[in-house]
Amino acid sequence: MEKATISSIQMEELLTTEETPTENYFSYKDNLIGSLLAIFGHLIISIGLNLQKYSHIRLAGTKDPRSYFKTKTWWLGLFLVIVGEIAVFSSYAFAPLSLIVPLSAVSNIASSIIGIIFIKEKWKPKEFLRHYILSFLGCGLAVIGTYLLITFGPNSHEKMTGENIVIHLVSWPFLLYMLVEILAFCSLLYYYKQKNANYLLIILMLVALLGSTTVIAVKALAGMIIVSIQGTMQLGYPIFYIMFVCMVATSIAQASYLSQASQLYDSALIASVNYILSTTLAISAGAVFYVDFRHEDVLHLCMFALGCLIAFLGVFLITRNRKKTKAFEPYVAFNSMPGVISMHDNGSAVQPDFGSSFSYGALQSNDSLSEVYTPATLPVVSEEAASAYNALEHNKSE
């Protein structure tokens, strides 16, 4: 009887060890390494993007539209972007997903400061405070939010082996979460495509839903690569390649929707709203899939939520102060057309306005001169006039 009870207990322990991932552990060192890698990566990415933007600005108006390929500045920016992306990718292997995702606010902080110093036009000391007070206030709030995120962020770690990822993937909380996410995505996609609901919130919600799947795949891939480097090969598991395909596909779809949103709305508004929505859904995905907040108390949860809200407000203020880009309105430069009378205002070419004229670029309104452009027509002779003319010719002949 005792042997039977012992064997049943051993079977239960074996089943529980097979159905649950390996025991989680706490490591402030790993959290710090992951946070520093994420901050460094986002900072380097911001510097690289601004270097590429600086190269584009310097070569604006040149005959060759791809002349920036020949500059060292543009290639240096591309190199920094690649290094930064590698650092951010590696950070997911050390720290929880819910901690790494909000740290992308660092890129907004760096872009704001670099833009003020290098990209923006020259400013007067008296006008500096009035123009950039919101940017510096937003940077300060984002820094405070980042500090709270790192200090009170989740500290739950586990080895990203293939078995653990599969167990998380088939867990009922994540399956329920994926069902809700798929239904929400299909509903938003229906309104966006069929109902032509081109609202910014709908487009960026599609991006955020895809992004939550992307970060899950990124953390799985980064963790499995680190475990493989440490000596336990994980690249032979099919889940590794499934996650890789999922990461690539969702990233391409996100880029497509962001491109569509940038054609309809201001880039500063897109940046702030996208950060808030993507971060919120990514934290939710990390909490459900990787159970990031499993052992956190109420104080840490509240302070982490407060850090997120402060970072959201900071990013909103940073992007709020950016100047909205005006659409380019082409005009005809008449002084470049030899032999044509042009209108000038202090030597600058001006497009003439002729009120209700439908002609664009014309030198004078020809709408009232219809008789000049009326096509020539042959005279129309009626039947009575033709018969009278024939009778007159017959009498002359007699």
Side-chain angles (χ1 to χ4, degrees):
M1 187 68 178
E2 292 180 356
K3 291 183 179 180
T5 55
I6 293 174
S7 61
S8 62
I9 294 173
Q10 290 178 349
M11 286 295 295
E12 290 179 358
E13 291 179 353
L14 181 62
L15 291 174
T16 54
T17 55
E18 288 180 356
E19 292 178 357
T20 56
T22 57
E23 184 178 357
N24 291 15
Y25 62 93
F26 296 91
S27 176
Y28 291 101
K29 179 181 178 181
D30 288 350
N31 265 18
L32 182 61
I33 292 174
S35 300
L36 292 177
L37 281 174
I39 292 173
F40 172 77
H42 288 298
L43 179 63
I44 295 299
I45 290 172
S46 179
I47 295 174
L49 291 176
N50 279 279
L51 284 175
Q52 290 182 319
K53 181 179 179 180
Y54 179 72
S55 178
H56 283 282
I57 292 175
R58 288 187 59 188
L59 299 175
T62 57
K63 295 181 179 180
D64 187 5
R66 297 185 178 181
S67 57
Y68 56 87
F69 282 137
K70 303 177 183 179
T71 61
K72 296 180 180 179
T73 306
W74 191 88
W75 286 105
L76 176 61
L78 179 62
F79 174 75
L80 291 178
V81 169
I82 294 174
V83 172
E85 292 290 350
I86 294 174
V88 174
F89 180 83
S90 303
S91 66
Y92 284 94
F94 293 94
L97 171 63
S98 302
L99 174 61
I100 297 299
V101 171
L103 296 181
S104 59
V106 175
S107 62
N108 291 281
I109 300 173
S111 295
S112 178
I113 297 175
I114 294 172
I116 293 174
I117 297 175
F118 296 102
I119 303 301
K120 298 289 183 179
E121 68 277 0
K122 295 182 179 180
W123 38 264
K124 296 179 181 180
K126 295 181 180 180
E127 298 177 352
F128 177 78
L129 186 63
R130 181 167 59 89
H131 286 172
Y132 300 110
I133 183 64
L134 288 180
S135 294
F136 281 100
L137 179 61
C139 289
L141 291 175
V143 170
I144 295 174
T146 302
Y147 172 77
L148 293 177
L149 290 173
I150 296 175
T151 305
F152 297 97
N155 194 8
S156 178
H157 302 267
E158 66 173 326
K159 288 187 177 181
M160 289 291 102
T161 60
E163 295 90 346
N164 290 342
I165 295 173
V166 172
I167 291 173
H168 286 304
L169 193 63
V170 299
S171 62
W172 70 265
F174 179 70
L175 293 178
L176 181 61
Y177 174 82
M178 283 301 299
L179 177 61
V180 174
E181 185 171 295
I182 291 173
L183 292 176
F185 183 84
C186 293
S187 301
L188 293 172
L189 189 62
Y190 171 77
Y191 280 102
Y192 177 58
K193 293 294 185 180
Q194 300 297 327
K195 300 295 184 179
N196 294 325
N198 297 328
Y199 300 108
L200 178 63
L201 190 62
I202 291 180
I203 300 176
L204 294 185
M205 275 296 295
L206 292 172
V207 175
L209 290 171
L210 292 169
S212 63
T213 307
T214 303
V215 293
I216 288 175
V218 168
K219 180 170 178 60
L221 291 173
M224 294 179 74
I225 291 174
I226 293 298
V227 173
S228 300
I229 293 175
Q230 292 175 351
T232 307
M233 183 58 61
Q234 302 293 319
L235 304 184
Y237 288 92
I239 191 63
F240 179 85
Y241 303 99
I242 293 174
M243 288 294 184
F244 179 79
V245 172
C246 181
M247 179 189 69
V248 174
T250 53
S251 299
I252 294 174
Q254 285 183 79
S256 175
Y257 286 120
L258 284 175
S259 176
Q260 296 174 28
S262 63
Q263 296 175 4
L264 300 173
Y265 299 95
D266 182 64
S267 60
L269 182 62
I270 293 174
S272 60
V273 177
N274 183 53
Y275 171 76
I276 295 172
L277 294 179
S278 297
T279 302
T280 303
L281 289 181
I283 292 174
S284 302
V288 174
F289 188 86
Y290 295 107
V291 201
D292 288 340
F293 300 96
R294 181 183 305 173
H295 303 290
E296 301 298 329
D297 54 14
V298 178
L299 175 62
H300 280 75
L301 292 176
C302 293
M303 295 302 295
F304 181 80
L306 178 62
C308 289
L309 292 177
I310 294 176
F312 291 165
L313 180 59
V315 171
F316 175 76
L317 292 178
I318 291 173
T319 56
R320 182 74 175 176
N321 198 41
R322 292 180 184 175
K323 294 182 179 180
K324 295 183 178 181
T325 57
K326 296 181 179 180
F328 174 71
E329 297 179 357
Y331 65 93
V332 178
F334 293 102
N335 55 357
S336 63
M337 302 167 61
V340 179
I341 302 174
S342 60
M343 300 177 63
H344 296 276
D345 182 13
N346 296 328
S348 60
V350 178
Q351 174 66 40
D353 185 14
F354 293 102
S356 60
S357 176
F358 290 100
S359 57
Y360 178 77
L363 296 179
Q364 58 184 355
S365 179
N366 298 325
D367 297 339
S368 60
L369 302 178
S370 58
E371 66 274 9
V372 178
Y373 295 99
T374 302
T377 57
L378 293 175
V380 179
V381 182
S382 61
E383 294 182 357
E384 296 178 356
S387 59
Y389 178 78
N390 292 332
L392 180 59
E393 290 294 332
H394 179 70
N395 294 330
K396 287 182 180 180
S397 62
E398 291 180 349

